[in-house]
Every structure is written in C-alpha cells, then in structure tokens.
C-alpha cells in the first residue's frame, strides 16, 4: 500500500491511497499521530515530494516511518539515467512543483578533472559542500498530483532497460533520505568538556572576541621574526606569499606540502600555525557553540548531494571530523559506539563491476593492496595503493603514471572498464553506475571547445584546450562509475543496517540516551555516516548483536548488487566507548 502526502492550501495535510479508499485530511499538529496509526495498521510506503519536508517533524514527535518514496531524489535519478532513455517523452515531463535534486544543479567544469557547481553545488570529490535545490520551488502539490508523479516515475522504471536495478536504486535513495533525517534527529554523541580540553591543550585558553588564541599568536611572532616581517598578517594569502618570497623562499602557494620542500626557520612554525588555524576555524569554540546542543552534534546531511550519489552536508563539517576532536565523540553511560569501515571499498567495487577474477582474488579475505604486492604486480603496499587510486582517478604522471600500466597487465578487465568509461567521457557521452545513476553531460562551454578545435582556422592552442578538456572530462567519468557504484553499495548497506536495528528495538537498555530524542532514546540507532564508514550508538548489552547486524548488512549489500561475483566486502568493525580509539 502507498499513501501520498501533501499539504493543502488551508495548511492541513492530505493522506491519500490512490489505489484504495483511504482519503484523510488532518491538521498538521495531528499528522504524527495519524502517521503512527497507519504505520502500525497498514505499513504503507509514504510517497511525498521531499523527505526533508516531513520526516523531521515526525521524528521530533516520536514517529518514525519504515519506508518512503522521495519524488525529488528519485525524479533526479530518472531524469538523467541512460537506463530510462527514450521512455522519457514530453508527455512524461516531471511537474514544475518537483524541485531538482541536489546534484542536478551541478555542471562539471570543462577545465578541470573535477566537476564544480555553476553557482554553489557539491563537486564529485568534495568532502563538504552546500546543498543545491530548493524544496519550496513551485507551488505545493495536492495529494493526487503527488500520486500521479509517483505513477509517472514507476512507469519510467518499468519501461527502462533495467527496471530491477532502478527499483533497487530508488528504494535505497529514498531510504537514504530517511536515514539522513534520522542522523540529524538522533545526533552524534559529543562530550563538550573533552572537546574544550582538546582546544585548550592545542590553542590555549579561549580568547576574547576578535583576538587569536595565545598559541597561534606565539607562533605568528616566531614566523614574523624569521621572515623579518613584523607586521605580517599570516591569514592573508597574498601578504604571506610576498613575505616568503622576500625571504628567499620560492613558493607558488602556502600549501603545507609545498612549504615542507623548503629549509627555513619560518617553515615549521608556519605549518604549525596553519594547523591550529584550521582547528580553530573548523572545530573551535565558535563551532562548539553553534553545533553542539544537548550533548549531540546534529549535522545537516544532504542525501544524494553529489553527482555520484555520495552525500554532502549543509554545514558543520560532519564529513571532515579531524582526529584532534574525535576524542569528544563518546557514547553515553551504559551505551557503546559500534564503528564500521568498509575496507578498500572502491577497489573492491571495481573488481566486482568488471568481474575481474584476478582482482577479486586479490581482495579475498585480506588487505587488497598487500595481495597486489604478493602477486608481484608492484613492490610495496604504498605503490599498490598509489597505482590503484591512479587507475581509478586517471592519474597519468608521477608514480601513478609509472605504475598503472602494471595494473593493466595484471587486471585487464578492471582496467578496461575504467578506460572505457574515460573514453566515453572524452567523447562527451554519459556513463552509468551499476544501478542506473548517470553522469551529467558536459556543459556548453566544453562542446564549444571541441567544436572550435575542428574548425579550418583552429590554432594549436585551440586543439590543446580541446584535448585537455576532453581528458579532464574522461578523468571525471573514469571514476564516476566506480565511486557512484560504491555509493550505491553504501546506501544498500545503510538501509540494511537500519532495518536490522529496528528488529532489535523491543529490548530496552537500563539507561536511556536522552539526547538522542524521543525515537532513539532506548534503541540502537545510526549516528554517523561518511561514504564507507558508519557509527551506531547502542546499549552495551546489544553491542554484539549490533556488530553482527552491521556485518550481515554489508554481506547482503554485496549480494544485492553483484550477485555471485567472487568479491568480498570485509569490515573493520570495533565496539568502543570513544571514537578516538579508532585508528
């Protein structure tokens, strides 16, 4: 059974089963109770424009839904998927009230290997990005319109070349939207006192507004003395570069890797200053005041926030928690953190996608990079890692460029897959993940560069620019199929964990996790997710069962996506009281 949800112009809420007799209109305040009743009685799939419009208020009222169909996220996938193809006709154009998904507003750059937003969207490899897409776009739909859009999307799936794959992807994407809302509602347990101690040890006492911490001021003075620049503002990139060059330090940037190449008394304190400046700006006292409430860090996750389906965040830096502050991530009394990390996920996904038996064997039950060394492909584990990442990300120079040809000889099917994806990108074609998420097409400027290079009066510079843009786009599509399919595996893993944790819900702990809110105070619940890593906050007595649930969900995700492909997806799995104990 499905129930379409929509607001009326009078501020009430419609709940309609388009395939049955259910037609309700309730006050917004009464919605959680009605949803809770229907969850028990009919266990529907909730169909709504955007999960972010409904799930937060339901969770705040203590109501959690089992499943939904997010029209915005699913519509974005279907609008671009090559699996849909000619099924998308003018008659099936999506309605104006359905806003774009976050990644749809992105247009990758023709001048670099990484796509960037036209205005402000997350890029392919961004770890932190602003969401794109306005859920308020267009007029609010009626429930019948919501149901009609659901029908349209289901028809596109049914007419596609791979309906089974798309159904799984849309279900996983919608589950991800629910999980993103639940992660915010539950929050990541955070000990403010531990965090403040970390800041005091690194930076000194909290400074007065407008002043730098004492440790940063001390380091700044050392740098100024070493550079003979008493008035230097270390926070000004332009001023710092001028001072470095005046001191005979030939640098093109102030990046730490470039600074380390020079032997000068200013270098070590400058690098230390930059490290503390990063801690202060990203996770300092201001961050604590803004983001830690009731002992929880509640980041705004953006499901489907990048082109490949990886998540982004709308602030708080949840996808970039430095080791320096991880000691503050601590379970409540009587609870534990079950931390799971999918080991070497993208190389394993590549092996499974390509059905490469040699690469699959390298990852069976052990460190994949070490197995590549043992097979005699390269000499060291570091070389194996550099070579594999270079092959997936299109590196052609340095150690990667030297080592990738060895991988091509050892694992021809896997390397052939990413090479074909790169060639498709260089030709301006879309590539598609295992389940059906397709890459954006090059923007108009990219096509202009290619067209200009074919003109009779084209210069050598025109041809170089066109070749460079083509290669850059090929590097984007080369990794898209791997990273995007890895994101699909991770979504299926997350959804499986969520379902299994719900089965553990009836057992109550001796102590409630009050900060986790009304839904999660007494049951194991997800509190963190980063690409291939998750954390579950669980009562101590359930930690073993939670760890097994997480492991089983990973195995199921591999089977759902890759069937009998001989590829394993092992987890680094730890139950601990503190995130700081994880290497």
């Amino acid at each position: 059974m499905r129930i379409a949800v929509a607001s009326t112009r009078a501020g009430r809420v419609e709940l309609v089963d388009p395939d049955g007799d259910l037609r309700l209109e309730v006050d917004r305040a009464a919605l959680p109770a009605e949803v809770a009743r229907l969850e028990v009685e009919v266990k529907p799939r909730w169909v709504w424009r955007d999960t972010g419009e409904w799930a937060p208020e339901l969770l705040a009222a203590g109501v959690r839904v089992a499943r939904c169909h997010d029209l915005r996220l699913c519509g974005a996938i279907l609008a671009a998927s090559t699996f849909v193809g000619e099924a998308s006709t003018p008659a099936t154009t999506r309605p104006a009230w359905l806003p774009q998904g976050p990644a749809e507003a992105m247009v990758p750059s023709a001048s670099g290997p990484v796509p960037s937003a036209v205005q402000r969207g997350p890029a392919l490899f961004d770890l932190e990005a602003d969401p794109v897409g306005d859920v308020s776009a267009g007029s609010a739909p009626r429930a019948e319109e919501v149901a009609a859009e659901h029908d349209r999307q289901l028809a596109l799936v049914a007419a596609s070349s791979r309906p089974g794959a798309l159904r799984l992807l849309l279900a996983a994407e919608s589950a991800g939207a629910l999980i993103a809302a639940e992660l915010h509602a539950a929050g990541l347990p955070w000990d403010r006192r531990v965090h403040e101690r970390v800041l005091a040890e690194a930076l000194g006492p909290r400074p007065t507004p407008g002043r730098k911490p004492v440790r940063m001021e001390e380091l700044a003075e050392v740098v100024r003395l070493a550079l003979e620049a008493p008035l230097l503002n270390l926070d000004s990139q332009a001023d710092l570069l001028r001072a470095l060059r005046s001191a005979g330090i030939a640098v093109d940037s102030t990046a730490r890797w470039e600074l380390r190449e020079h032997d000068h008394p200013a270098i070590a304190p400058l690098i230390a200053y930059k490290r503390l400046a990063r801690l202060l700006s990203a996770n300092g006292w201001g961050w604590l005041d803004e983001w830690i409430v009731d002992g929880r860090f509640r980041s705004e996750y953006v499901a489907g926030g990048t082109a490949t389906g990886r998540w982004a965040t709308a602030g708080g830096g949840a996808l970039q928690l430095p080791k320096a502050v991880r000691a503050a991530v601590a379970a409540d009394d009587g609870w534990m953190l079950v931390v799971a990390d999918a080991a070497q996920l993208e190389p394993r996904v590549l092996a499974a996608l390509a059905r490469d038996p040699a690469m699959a064997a390298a990852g069976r039950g052990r460190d994949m990079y070490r197995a590549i060394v043992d097979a005699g492909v390269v000499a060291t584990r570091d070389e194996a890692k550099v070579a594999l990442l270079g092959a997936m990300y299109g590196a052609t120079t340095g150690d990667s460029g030297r080592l990738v040809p060895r991988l091509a000889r050892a694992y021809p099917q896997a390397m052939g897959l990413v090479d074909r994806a790169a060639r498709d990108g260089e030709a301006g074609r879309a590539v598609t993940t295992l389940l059906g998420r397709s890459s954006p097409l090059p923007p108009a400027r990219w096509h202009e560069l290619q067209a200009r290079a074919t003109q009779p009066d084209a210069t050598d510079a025109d041809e170089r620019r066109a070749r460079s843009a083509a290669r850059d786009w090929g590097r984007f599509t080369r990794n898209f199929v791997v990273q995007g399919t890895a994101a699909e595996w991770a979504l299926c893993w997350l959804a499986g964990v969520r379902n299994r944790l719900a089965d553990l819900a009836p057992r109550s702990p001796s102590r409630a996790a009050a900060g986790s809110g009304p839904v999660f105070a007494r049951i194991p619940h997800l509190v963190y997710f980063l690409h291939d890593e998750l954390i579950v906050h669980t009562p101590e007595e359930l930690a073993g069962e939670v760890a097994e649930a997480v492991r089983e969900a990973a195995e199921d995700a591999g089977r759902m996506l890759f069937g009998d492909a001989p590829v394993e997806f092992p987890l680094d799995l730890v139950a601990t009281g503190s995130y700081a104990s994880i290497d």
Side-chain angles (χ1 to χ4, degrees):
M1 179 181 183
R2 57 176 177 158
I3 297 180
V5 184
S7 297
T8 70
R9 289 174 177 81
R12 290 163 64 82
V13 181
E14 294 178 308
L15 304 175
V16 174
D17 171 13
D19 309 310
D21 297 328
L22 176 68
R23 290 183 175 272
L24 299 175
E25 187 174 307
V26 299
D27 289 332
R28 191 95 185 199
L31 178 65
E34 198 63 38
V35 169
R37 177 183 71 82
L38 292 168
E39 273 288 307
V40 172
E41 293 180 2
V42 298
K43 297 180 174 57
R45 183 181 301 278
W46 300 93
V47 180
W48 43 46
R49 176 169 66 169
D50 187 279
T51 302
E53 292 182 86
W54 302 100
E57 68 180 87
L58 295 175
L59 292 165
V63 178
R64 184 191 197 194
V65 303
R67 56 186 186 153
C68 77
H69 183 100
D70 187 304
L71 293 173
R72 179 178 67 102
L73 292 175
C74 294
I77 290 170
L78 294 172
S81 179
T82 60
F83 291 176
V84 173
E86 295 305 316
S88 183
T89 66
T92 62
T93 300
R94 67 182 178 182
W97 53 259
L98 188 64
Q100 290 183 323
E104 281 185 282
M106 299 183 307
V107 178
S109 166
S111 61
V114 182
S116 59
V118 172
Q119 297 179 341
R120 59 175 192 96
L124 173 59
F125 305 113
D126 278 354
L127 293 180
E128 182 81 4
D130 291 332
V132 178
D134 178 7
V135 298
S136 63
S139 59
R142 300 300 301 266
E144 288 81 0
E145 294 175 295
V146 168
E149 170 59 13
H150 188 221
D151 288 337
R152 183 188 76 87
Q153 293 187 7
L154 295 181
L156 289 175
V157 172
S160 71
S161 60
R162 293 193 58 197
L166 276 174
R167 287 190 191 101
L168 177 56
L169 177 56
L170 300 190
E173 188 84 342
S174 297
L178 289 173
I179 293 166
E182 291 169 3
L183 288 170
H184 177 79
L188 181 64
W190 204 277
D191 191 324
R192 185 185 180 100
R193 293 169 301 176
V194 171
H195 192 136
E196 289 176 334
R197 186 166 64 246
V198 168
L199 294 178
E201 290 172 355
L203 297 163
R206 183 171 187 169
T208 57
R211 297 293 301 273
K212 287 282 194 300
V214 61
R215 300 280 163 70
M216 290 180 65
E217 291 285 11
E218 292 169 353
L219 288 166
E221 281 304 309
V222 175
V223 174
R224 292 181 186 119
L225 284 171
L227 295 177
E228 299 181 1
L231 300 180
L232 174 62
N233 176 10
L234 272 69
D235 298 323
S236 167
Q237 173 88 347
D239 291 352
L240 183 55
L241 276 174
R242 277 194 296 269
L244 289 167
R245 291 166 182 165
S246 295
I249 305 170
V251 291
D252 295 321
S253 73
T254 60
R256 278 177 287 183
W257 67 266
E258 186 171 359
L259 292 173
R260 290 193 182 101
E261 294 179 353
H262 299 272
D263 183 14
H264 189 280
I267 297 300
L270 176 56
I271 290 174
Y273 178 91
K274 290 171 67 69
R275 177 177 57 83
L276 294 183
R278 171 63 182 166
L279 175 62
L280 177 64
S281 64
N283 298 103
W285 291 279
W287 182 90
L288 266 176
D289 293 341
E290 181 177 3
W291 290 101
I292 305 305
V293 180
D294 298 328
R296 294 293 186 269
F297 170 37
R298 304 182 195 278
S299 181
E300 296 280 355
Y301 287 92
V302 182
T306 69
T308 59
R310 273 188 169 186
W311 288 13
T313 68
L319 305 186
Q320 293 175 314
L321 293 181
K323 288 186 177 180
V325 301
R326 288 186 179 185
V329 181
D332 290 359
D333 290 341
W335 290 62
M336 296 190 76
L337 302 175
V338 173
V339 183
D341 181 6
Q344 302 154 353
L345 176 59
E346 288 191 6
R348 296 174 190 278
V349 165
L350 173 56
L353 268 175
R355 298 277 171 159
D356 192 311
M359 183 175 276
R364 196 164 301 135
R366 51 181 171 164
D367 181 342
M368 198 168 192
Y369 300 135
R370 174 58 56 189
I372 292 173
V373 174
D374 293 343
V377 180
V378 294
T380 68
R381 187 183 184 280
D382 284 345
E383 285 189 342
K385 185 174 183 178
V386 166
L388 258 181
L389 293 178
M392 290 187 294
Y393 286 82
T396 57
T397 61
D399 287 342
S400 291
R402 175 175 59 84
L403 297 169
V404 165
R406 301 186 193 179
L407 287 184
R409 290 191 294 272
Y411 310 117
Q413 291 175 230
M415 296 305 104
L417 184 144
V418 291
D419 286 345
R420 286 191 298 275
R423 289 194 296 272
D424 283 340
E426 291 172 4
R429 294 188 291 267
V431 296
T432 302
T433 61
L434 179 69
L435 296 185
R437 192 188 304 269
S438 295
S439 64
L441 293 171
R445 175 58 179 161
W446 186 93
H447 289 286
E448 290 169 6
L449 288 173
Q450 306 308 312
R452 176 61 190 158
T454 64
Q455 297 303 309
D457 60 344
T459 65
D460 290 343
D462 291 330
E463 293 176 0
R464 284 195 301 272
R465 281 193 290 268
R467 285 195 299 269
S468 177
R471 285 194 299 268
D472 288 344
W473 200 269
R475 284 195 289 273
F476 164 53
T477 54
R478 169 185 291 273
N479 185 250
F480 185 97
V481 290
V482 179
Q483 190 180 106
T485 303
E488 291 167 353
W489 180 93
L491 271 180
C492 291
W493 180 37
L494 267 182
V497 170
R498 178 181 186 263
N499 291 340
R500 284 171 169 77
L501 294 183
D503 293 337
L504 299 177
R507 295 171 57 180
S508 298
S510 54
R511 295 190 183 188
S516 297
V519 172
F520 302 110
R522 295 188 176 277
I523 62 174
H525 52 278
L526 285 156
V527 293
Y528 184 69
F529 172 59
L530 170 61
H531 306 324
D532 55 8
E533 180 181 0
L534 61 78
I535 302 177
V536 177
H537 193 216
T538 178
E540 286 183 355
E541 61 267 29
L542 294 178
E545 293 176 61
V546 167
E548 186 58 27
V550 170
R551 185 180 292 108
E552 290 176 353
E555 294 173 356
D556 279 357
R559 283 191 292 268
M560 278 192 288
L561 266 68
F562 303 113
D564 60 355
V567 178
E568 297 177 353
F569 293 92
L571 303 178
D572 294 326
L573 196 58
V574 177
T576 180
S578 171
Y579 193 25
S581 67
I582 309 299
D583 293 333

